[in-house]
């Protein structure tokens, strides 16, 4: 997967509808349901039907950087715009980007491990355009960091979500909590989507089962 270098401002690239995105290559990522066997909650394992988990099975991804910041534009079809918890089985839509925190090859299906943590950038529809920086060291260990350099902007129109998640390439002051990137580098990346109308939340989601290599154009 290519992360194209582009001459554009942060404000332009944060806009999912900006014309600059028309020149950035798009790639369709196949998603699968997270295995219920991997859920840390016994209630989730017992109460969910594995055949109905992971409603979103394809995600369109574009990636660009302007030399200072990196931008991911994620889009997927969704007939319902879920922006709040409305009852016991409807939750906000969401999406996320996953990277190894310190390089290497962490287990993507287990959210890393104690010795190989991962860093996620996470958006949820009930937070409007507030993003979160997350670290994890295995199943059930997801932790929001106090500091967050991730920003985002989202739109929903004509049954389609489009979300841009962005961050400075390097955040040296938070190197223990954020993956460090640079032009010319190659990093592993993964993706996840939560369909709120399908009762998806926490570890119940669609995700890319294998890491993909992301090449940041120099």
């Amino acid at each position: 997967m290519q992360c194209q270098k582009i001459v554009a401002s942060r404000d332009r690239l944060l806009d999912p509808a900006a014309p600059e995105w028309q020149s950035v290559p798009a790639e369709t990522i196949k998603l699968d349901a997270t295995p219920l066997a991997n859920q840390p909650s016994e209630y989730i394992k017992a109460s969910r039907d594995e055949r109905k988990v992971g409603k979103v099975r394809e995600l369109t991804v574009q990636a660009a950087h302007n030399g200072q910041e990196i931008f991911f534009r994620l889009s997927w079809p969704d007939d319902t715009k879920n922006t709040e918890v409305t009852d016991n089985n409807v939750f906000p839509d969401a999406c996320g980007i996953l990277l190894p925190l310190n390089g290497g090859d962490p287990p993507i299906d287990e959210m890393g491990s104690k010795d190989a943590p991962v860093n996620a950038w996470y958006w949820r529809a009930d937070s409007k355009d507030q993003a979160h920086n997350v670290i994890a060291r295995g199943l059930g260990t997801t932790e929001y960091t106090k500091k967050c350099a991730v920003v985002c902007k989202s739109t929903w129109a004509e049954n389609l979500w489009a979300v841009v998640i962005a961050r400075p390439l390097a955040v040296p002051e938070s190197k223990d909590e954020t993956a460090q990137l640079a032009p010319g580098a190659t990093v592993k990346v993964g993706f996840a989507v939560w369909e709120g109308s399908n009762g998806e939340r926490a570890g119940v989601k669609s995700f890319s089962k294998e890491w993909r290599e992301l090449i940041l154009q120099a």
Side-chain angles (χ1 to χ4, degrees), residues 55-210:
K55 185 175 180 180
V56 179
R57 291 305 174 104
E58 286 189 347
L59 175 69
T60 300
V61 179
Q62 295 166 277
H65 75 87
N66 61 7
Q68 300 296 321
E69 295 169 297
I70 187 168
F71 304 80
F72 290 92
R73 185 182 186 275
L74 311 183
S75 60
W76 68 95
D78 190 345
D79 294 337
T80 60
K81 180 184 181 183
N82 303 109
T83 59
E84 58 186 0
V85 179
T86 56
D87 53 41
N88 290 334
N89 57 9
V90 176
F91 298 88
D93 300 322
C95 65
I97 298 161
L98 191 69
L99 306 105
L101 180 60
N102 302 313
D105 189 24
I108 191 171
D109 57 341
E110 296 181 2
M111 290 295 289
S113 66
K114 181 179 179 181
D115 297 325
V118 292
N119 176 208
W121 308 346
Y122 176 64
W123 166 86
R124 207 170 86 165
D126 61 338
S127 61
K128 296 184 179 179
D129 287 334
Q130 179 181 355
H132 301 279
N133 187 73
V134 177
I135 56 174
R137 296 178 173 84
L139 297 173
T141 67
T142 299
E143 175 185 352
Y144 287 69
T145 63
K146 292 182 179 180
K147 294 182 179 180
C148 178
V150 185
V151 295
C152 67
K153 188 172 181 180
S154 62
T155 62
W156 183 87
E158 299 180 353
N159 297 337
L160 184 76
W161 273 115
V163 181
V164 174
I165 300 177
R167 201 208 69 181
L169 288 166
V171 190
E173 65 274 19
S174 300
K175 63 182 181 179
D176 294 333
E177 298 179 334
T178 59
Q180 304 299 303
L181 308 174
T186 299
V187 297
K188 290 181 170 63
V189 64
F191 305 93
V193 175
W194 290 256
E195 174 49 64
S197 67
N198 196 42
E200 297 178 15
R201 67 196 189 281
V204 179
K205 61 186 184 295
S206 305
F207 80 118
S208 51
K209 293 181 68 175
E210 298 178 350

